[in-house]
Amino acid sequence: MSEEVKTIYLCLAHMSEEGYEQKYVKEAFDTNWVVPMGPNVYTFEQNLADFSNANLDGSKLDRKVVCLSAGTAAVHLALIACGVQLGDEVCVQSFTFCASSHPITYLGAKPVFIDSEKETWNMDPELLEKAIIDRKEKTGKYPKAIIPVALYGMPYDCERIMVIADKYGIPVIEDAAEGMGSRYNGQVLGTFGRFGVLSFNGNKMITTSGGGALICRSDEDANNIMWHATQARDAYPYYQHTEIGYNYRMSNVCAGIGRGQMTVLDAHIAHHKHVQELYEELLADVPRIHLHKQPSEENENGVKKYDSNFWLCAATLDEDVKIQGQKNVYKEVIKTAVGGVSGVVKSVDSAVTDCQPNDNVEALRVFMAGKKVECRPVWKPMHKQPVYANAVAYTNGISEEIFKVGFCLPAGPYVTDDDVHYIVDCIKEAIVK
Ligand SMILES: *Cc1c(COP(=O)(O)O)cnc(C)c1O
């Protein structure tokens, strides 16, 4: 470490050394394509499709990709394309960021939250099937879509989820916003379901400053998504509308950043995996801290079933571990929110809620912040969020338990080997002997 201690952030955007992002953005200006579509968008879409279609064994898929203004917009349009309407139900992983489930409510539909399995922290296939059967019994209808989420990049059990979805004829919208470039059986996440969601927000695997995309199975789906993303215009010499559309297309300026970022995507993925490996090695002998690892199963061809991009590295801390400063946590109402730089946060009266990380986990966050290391709690499950208090949930206690003991560690291109050593040393220092 240098004299001046830098802050080690959770995950930061990182541009190519060659400055390709600025080159393509400049091209947009030079050619006067400063609009929501244009050559950068089409090329970025082709790059994304090429990336998504290349399986590890050399075989190729033929998915299409449509670029949009955000990952949240991608979830929204995928739901519309799956026919989700007022009053319908959609099964969605509870353990996730709110963007997986909020678009369901935009449509007046109802999320049915599905808890996680221990190994991957993602949608539990058994609970999913139980929920599907139970919803049919209780409402007379099957849920209209299934949304599994690649939490922190970790693949869900694609095999079992797809088998269940096919059995009941329900389309799958894969939320691979955090799982860009993660693979299952050598195939990129987002290519298994009817749709795959990608996000290029500032802190994801690659960024366009803000943006997203949908991986689609057919030209028909891709065209339908593009139509809805551009205000659903019918073919007349004037504006004629037969359906409600949205202004969700990606701008040609943002797509220029995306084109540049595609040149570093493979390097980013490799670096995230490297950082995870180093944490695994250095935390191996720290008792009662458990790094979240991917299942080590291989398929019949000797290919890893689970191949995470390790967007963020996550861990859990046993409840009986004492952390410095633990007695003083949750005493004061704070003024900011997690991820606080963006937008406005609503002030609150209480420093606590009825479901929050354990005191030692919060103490570790505070301790690490004092060491200029950003640690964050894991996502709070949606079925524990006040805004979803009335939603139906099929639970097994796993996501709630992980929320209490879990935390995220910095990863990504800016995190050096020295940083990982420093972070692990800080964690050791935080533990009261
Ligand atoms: C980031 C994210 C999204 C959506 O992303 P935006 O591009 O920020 O709209 C969706 N789902 C999950 C799980 C995410 O982490």
Side-chain angles (χ1 to χ4, degrees), residues 70-73 75 96-97 99-100 149 175 177-178 199-201 204 211 379:
T72 312
V75 177
T96 184
F97 178 56
S100 308
V149 183
D175 185 344
E178 302 172 6
S199 167
F200 315 118
N201 207 335
K204 297 285 160 77
W379 303 124

Side-chain angles (χ1 to χ4, degrees), residues 68-75 93 95-101 103 106 147-152 175-179 197-204 208-213 311 379:
L68 300 165
S69 56
T72 312
V75 177
Q93 185 167 318
F95 200 11
T96 184
F97 178 56
C98 63
S100 308
S101 57
Y106 300 169
I147 310 181
V149 183
L151 210 66
Y152 306 123
D175 185 344
E178 302 172 6
V197 172
L198 300 177
S199 167
F200 315 118
N201 207 335
N203 58 358
K204 297 285 160 77
T208 58
S209 72
W311 171 58
W379 303 124

Side-chain angles (χ1 to χ4, degrees), residues 16-85:
S16 64
E17 306 275 322
E18 297 84 353
Y20 289 123
E21 293 82 359
Q22 291 193 46
K23 171 179 176 265
Y24 294 125
V25 168
K26 184 168 182 301
E27 226 172 82
F29 280 85
D30 291 346
T31 56
N32 209 20
W33 277 103
V34 187
V35 284
M37 71 185 84
N40 278 338
V41 177
Y42 310 135
T43 309
F44 186 32
E45 286 176 340
Q46 194 51 55
N47 294 159
L48 287 166
D50 292 344
F51 176 82
S52 306
N53 285 329
N55 295 331
L56 267 193
D57 65 3
S59 60
K60 292 243 184 304
L61 307 167
D62 65 344
R63 304 290 183 270
K64 322 287 180 271
V65 175
V66 179
C67 283
L68 300 165
S69 56
T72 312
V75 177
H76 192 181
L77 293 187
L79 289 164
I80 291 171
C82 290
V84 175
Q85 294 182 347

Side-chain angles (χ1 to χ4, degrees), residues 98-114:
C98 63
S100 308
S101 57
H102 280 2
I104 299 168
T105 63
Y106 300 169
L107 292 165
K110 292 180 237 164
V112 172
F113 291 114
I114 312 293

Side-chain angles (χ1 to χ4, degrees), residues 110-396:
K110 292 180 237 164
V112 172
F113 291 114
I114 312 293
D115 214 329
S116 291
E117 51 174 12
K118 251 202 180 105
E119 276 222 299
T120 63
W121 295 9
N122 291 326
M123 184 180 271
D124 182 336
E126 223 164 276
L127 267 186
L128 170 67
E129 184 158 28
K130 190 175 149 201
I132 292 170
I133 293 167
D134 197 48
R135 295 328 291 164
K136 173 75 171 153
E137 251 173 50
K138 294 213 164 83
T139 71
K141 286 198 302 185
Y142 284 124
K144 273 286 184 64
I146 298 167
I147 310 181
V149 183
L151 210 66
Y152 306 123
M154 187 68 71
Y156 21 81
D157 188 337
C158 285
E159 241 159 45
R160 286 177 67 200
I161 289 175
M162 291 312 300
V163 165
I164 293 165
D166 289 346
K167 182 170 165 189
Y168 297 96
I170 305 172
V172 172
I173 299 167
E174 297 179 68
D175 185 344
E178 302 172 6
M180 185 179 191
S182 295
R183 291 171 188 271
Y184 186 90
N185 280 341
Q187 185 178 324
V188 161
L189 289 192
T191 59
F192 290 86
R194 177 159 170 203
F195 293 105
V197 172
L198 300 177
S199 167
F200 315 118
N201 207 335
N203 58 358
K204 297 285 160 77
M205 291 302 282
I206 61 168
T207 186
T208 58
S209 72
L214 262 183
I215 303 173
C216 306
R217 273 197 175 244
S218 66
D219 284 322
E220 196 189 342
D221 273 348
N223 286 334
N224 178 34
I225 294 297
M226 232 177 286
W227 184 63
H228 277 101
T230 49
Q231 301 292 25
R233 293 162 302 164
D234 293 350
Y236 290 96
Y238 41 86
Y239 284 86
Q240 174 89 3
H241 305 283
T242 46
E243 267 189 54
I244 298 294
Y246 299 83
N247 182 7
Y248 276 173
R249 197 76 165 113
M250 179 180 279
S251 112
N252 197 53
V253 177
C254 294
I257 306 174
R259 281 182 71 184
Q261 287 274 282
M262 286 308 282
T263 65
V264 291
L265 175 58
D266 287 335
H268 280 197
I269 294 170
H271 191 84
H272 280 259
K273 288 180 178 179
H274 168 74
V275 168
Q276 166 76 16
E277 258 176 45
L278 198 52
Y279 277 124
E280 284 190 20
E281 186 190 318
L282 298 177
L283 283 169
D285 60 353
V286 182
R288 290 172 297 169
I289 289 190
H290 314 276
L291 200 67
H292 181 37
K293 297 178 192 167
Q294 67 191 9
S296 54
E297 288 163 70
E298 288 183 355
N299 71 10
E300 56 286 358
N301 303 319
V303 176
K304 270 193 222 170
K305 272 197 170 182
Y306 294 86
D307 183 4
S308 175
N309 64 14
F310 290 104
W311 171 58
L312 293 184
C313 301
T316 60
L317 178 66
D318 288 356
E319 202 181 352
D320 57 356
V321 180
K322 291 273 172 296
I323 297 291
Q324 293 192 37
Q326 194 169 321
K327 286 204 183 66
N328 305 319
V329 298
Y330 292 128
K331 292 283 188 284
E332 277 172 48
V333 173
I334 61 167
K335 299 249 168 357
T336 55
V338 60
V341 283
S342 60
V344 167
V345 297
K346 186 165 164 270
S347 62
V348 295
D349 302 329
S350 166
V352 296
T353 68
D354 62 355
C355 174
Q356 62 188 20
N358 288 336
D359 287 359
N360 62 352
V361 172
E362 172 61 4
L364 183 62
R365 186 192 68 76
V366 173
F367 183 90
M368 298 301 276
K371 297 286 183 185
K372 295 202 165 192
V373 177
E374 186 188 19
C375 290
R376 279 192 195 172
V378 296
W379 303 124
K380 179 164 177 168
M382 287 304 128
H383 74 275
K384 299 303 291 182
Q385 298 285 359
V387 74
Y388 287 121
N390 298 320
V392 175
Y394 291 80
T395 58
N396 54 20

